[in-house]
Amino acid sequence: MDWLNAMNSAVEYMEANITEKLDIEKVAKIALSSTFHFQRMYHMITGVTVAEYIRRRRLTLAAQDIISGEKIINVAYKYGYETPEAFTKAFRKMHGISPSAARKPGIELKAYPKLSFQISIKGDKDMNYKIFDKGSFKVVGKQRKISMVDEQNFNQVPKFWYDCMEDGSHQWICSKAGKLGILGVSKDFDKYKDEFNYMIAVEEIKDTIPEGYVSAIIPAATWAAFESVGPVTEALHDLVRRIYTEWFPSTGYQHDCAPDIEVYPVGDMSAADYKCEIWIPIKK
């Protein structure tokens, strides 16, 4: 229940400071998580990014303020828009009408409610996982710094994979894949304020590392490894959501301070029977 209480406290903090500039680091601390893991967890559970949630909530409340008689220019500045024009554009995009039109009787507006987190016990689908300890090991591959500002990481990581496939890096990495296969490693969360490093990698190789490639040490940790079956894009997304909404709340574990690792055996990642794993460092 600590996980649920922490997540709901984070939402309450965002709601209480909805007109202020979002301090995502403070929100993440309230949620007992790193900035990266909070943003990723929030998006996986709710289907929207933190920034999008804030935007929708502000425009929902802004509509209520306008209906109650507040001046549109004051409402625009209240909810963080630099100009009335920017506010009008955002308002129209969500509600389908201009702010001034919202005052007309009988006009339909859209409302995005405040979220709250609850445990949902479904039991209709097994979640296969194993817990094990593993000593430190080295990985080698391509690395790119990923930004967490406005949740850009959700677009930048897939683009990194695409770029590596285009420039031949992915093929080289696949040719060096060992027992685990290809690894997607999210790491260095504590080194940067709004960024982290993401590697497309394999376990340590004996060959000389080519120019442009890097190596990194994965620290010893206790891992929970979850099996995903199906096309990676859909299956892995659903699995991560279930890990945070079902597994963490029901087991008493929490995320430890170590990289997240996606383990991709060489094969057709779009196949219906493709199996991969996500390793999450855990502690009681």
Side-chain angles (χ1 to χ4, degrees), residues 194-215:
D194 296 313
E195 298 173 312
F196 67 96
N197 284 322
Y198 184 87
M199 288 185 69
I200 301 174
V202 292
E203 292 178 277
E204 182 180 13
I205 59 175
K206 296 180 180 180
D207 303 355
T208 301
I209 301 175
E211 184 177 354
Y213 290 74
V214 299
S215 64

Side-chain angles (χ1 to χ4, degrees), residues 29-72:
K29 287 181 179 179
I30 295 172
L32 306 179
S33 178
S34 69
T35 302
F36 169 77
H37 288 297
F38 173 73
Q39 291 183 101
R40 185 184 187 192
M41 177 169 56
Y42 194 94
H43 181 262
M44 289 296 179
I45 294 172
T46 66
V48 297
T49 63
V50 176
E52 179 64 12
Y53 173 76
I54 293 295
R55 187 189 72 82
R56 293 183 185 183
R57 287 293 296 145
R58 284 174 174 169
L59 290 171
T60 295
L61 297 173
Q64 297 175 14
D65 291 345
I66 290 172
I67 292 173
S68 67
E70 289 191 40
K71 291 183 177 180
I72 292 173

Side-chain angles (χ1 to χ4, degrees), residues 50-210:
V50 176
E52 179 64 12
Y53 173 76
I54 293 295
R55 187 189 72 82
R56 293 183 185 183
R57 287 293 296 145
R58 284 174 174 169
L59 290 171
T60 295
L61 297 173
Q64 297 175 14
D65 291 345
I66 290 172
I67 292 173
S68 67
E70 289 191 40
K71 291 183 177 180
I72 292 173
I73 189 171
N74 293 341
V75 174
Y77 293 140
K78 176 181 178 180
Y79 290 103
Y81 289 88
E82 295 183 355
T83 65
E85 291 76 18
F87 172 69
T88 297
K89 182 178 180 180
F91 192 94
R92 186 184 296 276
K93 183 177 180 180
M94 176 169 170
H95 295 285
I97 59 173
S98 67
S100 58
R103 291 199 173 105
K104 296 179 181 179
I107 288 293
E108 291 186 358
L109 296 167
K110 295 181 181 179
Y112 192 80
K114 184 181 77 171
L115 296 180
S116 64
F117 294 91
Q118 300 176 348
I119 294 179
S120 176
I121 307 298
K122 296 182 179 180
D124 59 348
K125 187 177 181 182
D126 291 336
M127 186 181 296
N128 297 324
Y129 72 94
K130 57 189 175 184
I131 295 177
F132 61 94
D133 294 324
K134 184 176 176 61
S136 63
F137 61 101
K138 183 181 289 187
V139 295
V140 175
K142 281 282 190 173
Q143 177 172 287
R144 179 175 293 181
K145 189 175 290 184
I146 303 296
S147 173
M148 293 185 291
V149 176
D150 294 331
E151 286 86 19
Q152 294 178 57
N153 46 293
F154 296 116
N155 294 320
Q156 290 183 359
V157 169
K159 185 178 186 303
F160 182 34
W161 279 88
Y162 176 79
D163 290 345
C164 284
M165 291 178 184
E166 286 290 296
D167 66 18
S169 302
H170 184 263
Q171 288 84 345
W172 184 89
I173 293 171
C174 286
S175 71
K176 303 299 180 181
K179 183 178 179 181
L180 287 180
I182 313 302
L183 307 176
V185 182
S186 301
K187 64 186 187 71
D188 300 331
F189 308 116
D190 57 341
K191 286 187 177 181
Y192 313 104
K193 180 179 179 181
D194 296 313
E195 298 173 312
F196 67 96
N197 284 322
Y198 184 87
M199 288 185 69
I200 301 174
V202 292
E203 292 178 277
E204 182 180 13
I205 59 175
K206 296 180 180 180
D207 303 355
T208 301
I209 301 175

